[in-house]
Amino acid sequence: MDVVNIFLTSELGESLEDFVHDQRRFTFDRLGPEGPRRLVEGPMWAFVDWVMPELAGLEMCRRLRADARTADAHVTMVLEEDDPEDRRRALRAGADDYVIGPLTRTAVLDRVLALQSRGVERQATRRFELGALTIDMAALQARWNEQPIVLRPNEFRLLRFLAENPNRVLTREDLIAGLGKREPPIDERTVDVWIGRLRRAIKAAGGGNPLRTVRSLGYVFDLS
Amino acid sequence: MDVVNIFLTSELGESLEDFVHDQRRFTFDRLGPEGPRRLVEGPMWAFVDWVMPELAGLEMCRRLRADARTADAHVTMVLEEDDPEDRRRALRAGADDYVIGPLTRTAVLDRVLALQSRGVERQATRRFELGALTIDMAALQARWNEQPIVLRPNEFRLLRFLAENPNRVLTREDLIAGLGKREPPIDERTVDVWIGRLRRAIKAAGGGNPLRTVRSLGYVFDLS
DNA sequence: CAAGGGTGTGACGCGTTTGTGACTGCTTTT
DNA sequence: AAAAGCAGTCACAAACGCGTCACACCCTTG
């Protein structure tokens, strides 16, 4: 039986340790700005508070996703109130879902127990396939017909965003926003360079060119 | 409050209702040949099985698109196996994406959560059909009987504007204004060239000539 | 502190798009 | 029948948009 590793940014962890009887099935760890204190194996679940003493919850979220050790953790964002805009931001930052706070012990355990039933299946669905292209969120790797595509972090994010919106023209503005680049404002022409680098990487892996340029508008991930 | 309305053609719906904790965030409905059983508001998501008892999945797909109530739903086609030809057919019929079956509960929820959050806003009038002509505003692509029409940016804008005002004579002035050309003032005779190029492009895709000239007045998109 | 890879930006060059004038042929008017 | 009006088409030059490169500035690593 896998041990579920639960990370929390709040102090709820200690209280939970007392609460849970079967210690073998869960570990709890405090989640600070620099990530988890110890490395773990098995499924991970992070509860990230919207407001944190040292770091914004959104930023925490992004760091978890960027860090290879925690990239495939299930991230639940804890919102204080039910603001649709905040929910969108949370999910954009990489959160898998959210709860409207305050976080209670039972809310945590309900979700975690549900995770266990989803458990193994979940990792399989964290990868998706579009034609010859496979994107593995957990491993942060993309393949073209089993052939790995060597991508830099930004290129991976770009490919992912494009692939999540197939057959839809994305403007340069969409793409910049989709990759969460706000500060400082990014020059739209920079997107062209991103696309160029991504295309070259796919080509280097023997792939075709699923990225179609739509003149004067943007780019599309062509699925067909 | 954004509620995501999920339609399924399979029996998975009931099983999902038990599975989801937060009922306020999702509704589930069985999708029969005559469409959804009840009208809903908010984002819609349909999962359409390739094979269905009473109706082919492709036909279901087209009906969803043709029905104004469900025209802007996100349609995911569930394929049994990974056949490139089927994938293409699905997308042509109006599907936004597809999964290779069988459909699991986690596959549904993962996709909905991921795409709902990370996707780009859908515009309401994404796709419209006039006779043999299909205009896909999301992919910015036009087809004549499934055959893609290769259009330059200005030609696409022109076709779109004409198709938005079918059976109505548009003067050259209307067309120039409709395409948003102000500076510098465009010579009216230029419109003739636009029309000529558009006609040639449609013809090259094996299409007819839906653009009728009205002497001394302008042009009409003939719907018939 | 040095080394190295990742990333944003300005600049350059090339191919494509597009508005226009001219020519042609058809239609309407005188 | 001649003249005038109108639309279809072609060729061309200018403008535009995109791909690419080199470089500078990070930020991380040793």
Side-chain angles (χ1 to χ4, degrees):
Chain A
M1 167 73 78
D2 274 349
V3 176
V4 181
N5 303 281
I6 302 178
F7 304 120
L8 299 110
T9 58
S10 64
E11 303 84 5
L12 198 60
E14 290 80 28
S15 137
L16 273 166
E17 290 200 4
D18 301 336
F19 187 69
V20 172
H21 314 289
D22 192 349
Q23 296 283 345
R24 292 167 306 169
R25 293 177 55 204
F26 302 100
T27 73
F28 295 95
D29 199 3
R30 184 64 183 278
L31 195 56
E34 62 298 315
R37 279 181 303 197
R38 54 204 157 111
L39 284 179
V40 295
E41 285 196 17
M44 290 174 286
W45 196 296
F47 288 84
V48 177
D49 285 301
W50 183 254
V51 282
M52 291 169 57
E54 301 140 70
L55 193 65
L58 286 179
E59 180 55 28
M60 183 78 243
C61 210
R62 284 193 203 95
R63 291 200 189 180
L64 287 171
R65 282 275 170 265
D67 188 335
R69 299 170 304 166
T70 52
D72 59 341
H74 188 107
V75 177
T76 296
M77 183 70 83
V78 183
L79 303 181
E80 296 192 314
E81 50 190 62
D82 190 5
D83 180 350
E85 198 44 49
D86 284 352
R87 290 192 309 231
R88 283 175 53 86
R89 273 199 282 268
L91 294 165
R92 286 231 169 140
D96 292 282
D97 63 357
Y98 56 86
V99 291
I100 310 300
L103 193 60
T104 61
R105 296 180 299 190
T106 52
V108 171
L109 291 183
D110 276 359
R111 283 179 172 263
V112 172
L113 288 173
L115 164 73
Q116 289 217 304
S117 62
R118 293 165 72 174
V120 185
E121 223 179 336
R122 174 178 168 64
Q123 291 206 337
T125 53
R126 268 188 91 77
R127 71 193 274 227
F128 58 112
E129 306 183 14
L130 301 127
L133 186 75
T134 311
I135 300 183
D136 186 340
M137 300 299 194
L140 290 177
Q141 202 185 37
R143 293 170 183 274
W144 188 277
N145 285 334
E146 310 302 317
Q147 187 67 224
I149 305 175
V150 185
L151 293 175
R152 287 175 279 223
N154 201 50
E155 289 155 22
F156 185 83
R157 262 176 275 154
L158 178 63
L159 177 59
R160 170 192 174 170
F161 188 72
L162 283 159
E164 275 168 351
N165 298 290
N167 288 333
R168 183 169 316 170
V169 177
L170 299 171
T171 64
R172 296 177 172 76
E173 197 185 342
D174 289 338
L175 293 169
I176 290 170
L179 302 208
K181 312 243 182 189
R182 287 260 147 174
E183 306 291 338
I186 296 286
D187 189 314
E188 296 211 341
R189 289 290 270 105
T190 300
V191 175
D192 297 7
V193 183
W194 294 350
I195 295 283
R197 288 172 180 158
L198 178 52
R199 280 184 177 142
R200 201 192 313 166
I202 296 176
K203 196 173 198 175
N209 181 16
L211 276 37
R212 179 165 53 95
T213 305
V214 181
R215 190 171 228 265
S216 81
L217 285 171
Y219 298 91
V220 206
F221 185 101
D222 256 337
L223 195 58
S224 55
Chain B
M1 160 83 79
D2 274 357
V3 177
V4 181
N5 303 282
I6 302 179
F7 304 122
L8 299 111
T9 57
S10 65
E11 304 83 7
L12 199 61
E14 290 80 29
S15 134
L16 274 164
E17 291 202 2
D18 300 335
F19 186 68
V20 173
H21 321 286
D22 194 348
Q23 295 284 343
R24 293 166 307 168
R25 293 175 55 205
F26 302 100
T27 73
F28 296 95
D29 199 3
R30 185 65 183 277
L31 194 57
E34 63 297 315
R37 277 180 305 195
R38 53 203 158 114
L39 284 179
V40 293
E41 283 197 20
M44 289 173 287
W45 204 293
F47 288 84
V48 176
D49 286 301
W50 183 253
V51 282
M52 292 169 56
E54 301 140 69
L55 193 65
L58 286 178
E59 180 53 29
M60 182 78 242
C61 212
R62 283 193 204 95
R63 289 198 190 179
L64 286 171
R65 283 275 170 265
D67 188 335
R69 299 171 303 165
T70 52
D72 59 342
H74 188 108
V75 178
T76 297
M77 182 71 83
V78 183
L79 303 180
E80 296 192 314
E81 51 190 60
D82 190 3
D83 180 349
E85 197 44 48
D86 284 351
R87 289 195 309 235
R88 216 166 301 144
R89 272 198 284 267
L91 294 166
R92 287 214 184 135
D96 292 283
D97 64 355
Y98 57 85
V99 292
I100 310 300
L103 193 61
T104 61
R105 297 179 303 186
T106 54
V108 172
L109 292 183
D110 279 354
R111 290 189 85 80
V112 172
L113 285 171
L115 285 172
Q116 180 205 4
S117 59
R118 292 166 188 140
V120 169
E121 302 294 339
R122 309 172 66 72
Q123 50 261 58
T125 57
R126 274 190 42 262
R127 181 193 176 94
F128 53 113
E129 306 187 8
L130 301 120
L133 185 75
T134 310
I135 300 183
D136 184 340
M137 292 309 298
L140 292 177
Q141 208 175 38
R143 306 186 115 102
W144 188 277
N145 284 333
E146 315 297 317
Q147 188 66 225
I149 306 175
V150 184
L151 293 175
R152 287 177 278 229
N154 204 49
E155 288 155 23
F156 187 86
R157 264 176 272 152
L158 178 63
L159 177 59
R160 175 199 175 165
F161 188 71
L162 283 159
E164 274 170 351
N165 304 79
N167 289 332
R168 194 177 133 206
V169 179
L170 298 170
T171 65
R172 296 177 172 74
E173 195 182 337
D174 291 337
L175 293 169
I176 291 170
L179 302 208
K181 310 250 183 187
R182 291 253 147 182
E183 306 290 337
I186 297 287
D187 189 315
E188 295 211 343
R189 283 307 312 284
T190 301
V191 175
D192 298 9
V193 184
W194 293 350
I195 294 283
R197 287 172 180 157
L198 179 51
R199 280 181 178 144
R200 199 192 313 167
I202 297 176
K203 196 172 199 172
N209 181 17
L211 275 38
R212 185 162 50 91
T213 306
V214 181
R215 196 183 163 89
S216 81
L217 282 175
Y219 298 90
V220 205
F221 184 100
D222 257 337
L223 193 57
S224 51

